[in-house]
Amino acid sequence: MDKIVLEAQATIEQQFGKSPGVVGIGTGYKYVNGERTDTVAVVVGVQKKKPIAELASDEIIPKTVGEVPTDVQEFGDIKALELTNRIRPAPAGYSIGHYKI
């Protein structure tokens, strides 16, 4: 990944990582009108997108960080699940490693 993009991601994480409604920050492709573009962007996942008028000034994600565009995408609620019972054989997609590794 390009160093400039990773630095932009770190900047967004520092400024907005603990903001209410933000559920994840990473890099990916920018979407415009529901269509994926070839532009790499810092993706900010939120529970629910809101109109800018409903946001406080410190909650507004900038359109760019330096040269790197940002993209706010609605992810909904994300819940971490934990397997607590034994299932044999382990279904595809289940982690079977020790919890400390």
Side-chain angles (χ1 to χ4, degrees):
M1 182 84 28
D2 192 302
K3 183 179 177 183
I4 295 171
V5 175
L6 293 176
E7 288 173 354
Q9 178 182 338
T11 299
I12 292 293
E13 286 173 349
Q14 184 178 27
Q15 292 177 353
F16 299 99
K18 296 188 184 213
S19 296
V22 173
V23 295
I25 299 172
T27 56
Y29 291 104
K30 185 169 182 71
Y31 280 76
V32 177
N33 297 323
E35 297 289 322
R36 193 190 101 170
T37 68
D38 292 331
T39 304
V40 175
V42 175
V43 176
V44 180
V46 296
Q47 288 175 329
K48 179 131 178 83
K49 285 182 88 167
K50 298 178 183 177
I52 291 178
E54 292 182 19
L55 298 172
S57 61
D58 63 344
E59 295 178 318
I60 298 173
I61 309 294
K63 292 186 183 275
T64 61
V65 177
E67 304 171 8
V68 181
T70 61
D71 189 18
V72 178
Q73 297 178 10
E74 187 172 316
F75 288 178
D77 290 327
I78 296 177
K79 296 180 182 172
L81 303 176
E82 183 179 329
L83 177 65
T84 58
N85 56 343
R86 179 176 282 193
I87 300 175
R88 300 280 181 165
Y94 275 63
S95 173
I96 58 171
H98 192 273
Y99 74 97
K100 290 187 177 181
I101 57 169

